[in-house]
Amino acid sequence: MAEQPHAGEGGASPKSETLMEKIADKLHIGGGGDGSSSDSDADERKPSAPPAPADVTESFADSAAAAAAEARAKVFRLFGREEPIHKVLGGGKPADVFLWRNRNISAGVLGGATAIWILFELLGYHLLTFVCHGLIFSLGLLFLWSNASSFINKSPPRIPEVIIPEDLVVNIALSTRYEINRAFANLHQIALGRDIKKFLIVIAGLWLLSVLGSCCNFLTLVYIVFVVLHTVPILYEKYEDQIDSYGEKGWVEIKKQYAVFDAKVLSKVPRGPLKDKKH
């Protein structure tokens, strides 16, 4: 009987301890929850960064495009070229052939030119003889085919009628006339001594042509130009940046040497009469 109150006291103390622990845990959890909620509320109260206006974005894009275009314009190009090499060559099918857009056509054209050069230059075949022999062979074959078609029960050959359009001939004549007149006008200006730089360029070009003419005949010269047109543009298009970089260095050096030559020699040469000013 005396041990019961002692046991009761021992049983009451754990219960009170557990009750206090529960209250403390609840207070601790509640405090933590309040802290997290307060942090989230504080985060929600923070003003978010306003989105960039559309005008600012568009102006930035325009300025970037303008800077890129200005950078491209400052890049040195050979002969002051501002257009792609395809347009410089005239565009269309001739430029496609020179730039090997279709390898089969370009290889066929270059192979045909090589065969003609070998035929006339290495084998010594003459142009008039070649044309006459070709016409004799073609007309004889067509004549025999047309007469023998009734005996071998085959249809006669369909020979197309070739007609040169008048517009094509007129356009070619007008273009040729324009280029010839422009060449004569340039030669007239050079002969008057008004542009020494152009005079020196023309003299150097004619001298170079005379040297090439002494080394090879006209057919070989045409073939060399044809081969150059089929090789140099495609190589330049492939290594454009590297070639332009070396070209810029060479052009700067040429301008330095020309400035020295102009100061020492050209400035002392008397110039021709200037054009009369229109009042």
Side-chain angles (χ1 to χ4, degrees):
M1 297 297 289
E3 293 177 356
Q4 289 179 356
H6 179 74
E9 291 175 3
S13 60
K15 290 181 180 179
S16 62
E17 289 178 0
T18 56
L19 181 61
M20 294 299 294
E21 289 177 356
K22 289 181 180 180
I23 293 171
D25 292 340
K26 288 182 179 181
L27 290 175
H28 178 71
I29 294 171
D34 294 340
S36 62
S37 63
S38 61
D39 292 339
S40 62
D41 293 339
D43 293 338
E44 289 179 357
R45 293 191 197 99
K46 290 181 180 179
S48 59
D55 297 338
V56 175
T57 305
E58 292 178 358
S59 61
F60 178 76
D62 294 339
S63 61
E70 185 178 358
R72 286 194 299 269
K74 291 182 179 179
V75 175
F76 177 83
R77 298 298 180 191
L78 287 178
F79 310 110
R81 179 177 58 85
E82 298 180 355
E83 296 180 347
I85 189 65
H86 188 272
K87 290 186 177 181
V88 173
L89 294 175
K93 293 182 178 179
D96 293 340
V97 172
F98 293 142
L99 294 175
W100 294 75
R101 295 290 189 262
N102 191 327
R103 296 183 180 273
N104 295 329
I105 296 177
S106 299
V109 172
L110 185 59
T114 304
I116 292 174
W117 179 76
I118 292 174
L119 183 67
F120 291 110
E121 184 64 23
L122 299 183
L123 300 180
Y125 217 66
H126 299 286
L127 179 60
L128 183 60
T129 305
F130 176 76
V131 172
C132 292
H133 287 176
L135 290 175
I136 290 171
F137 178 77
S138 301
L139 292 176
L141 181 62
L142 293 174
F143 179 81
L144 293 175
W145 188 359
S146 300
N147 287 285
S149 60
S150 58
F151 297 100
I152 59 178
N153 296 324
K154 287 188 176 181
S155 59
R158 296 180 180 178
I159 303 173
E161 185 178 1
V162 179
I163 299 176
I164 300 176
E166 182 180 358
D167 295 339
L168 177 62
V169 178
V170 171
N171 291 333
I172 293 175
L174 291 177
S175 300
T176 305
R177 172 181 171 274
Y178 173 76
E179 295 297 335
I180 292 174
N181 288 335
R182 190 174 67 170
F184 283 154
N186 290 329
L187 292 176
H188 181 265
Q189 295 296 326
I190 293 170
L192 292 177
R194 295 169 181 166
D195 193 343
I196 298 179
K197 184 177 179 180
K198 188 180 292 185
F199 169 77
L200 294 176
I201 292 174
V202 172
I203 293 300
L206 292 176
W207 177 79
L208 181 61
L209 286 177
S210 66
V211 172
L212 292 175
S214 62
C215 297
C216 56
N217 56 18
F218 181 73
L219 180 61
T220 303
L221 181 61
V222 172
Y223 176 69
I224 292 173
V225 173
F226 197 78
V227 173
V228 168
L229 288 175
H230 277 79
T231 54
V232 173
I234 183 64
L235 292 176
Y236 176 72
E237 187 181 40
K238 187 176 181 180
Y239 304 102
E240 182 177 0
D241 295 335
Q242 294 86 339
I243 295 174
D244 287 339
S245 177
Y246 288 113
E248 183 178 8
K249 296 178 181 178
W251 181 247
V252 170
E253 187 64 26
I254 290 174
K255 289 176 69 175
K256 290 181 181 179
Q257 297 299 328
Y258 177 78
V260 174
F261 182 72
D262 186 26
K264 293 183 178 180
V265 179
L266 298 183
S267 60
K268 300 178 181 179
V269 177
R271 305 294 178 91
L274 299 177
K275 293 182 179 179
D276 296 335
K277 296 182 180 181
K278 295 182 179 180
H279 298 285

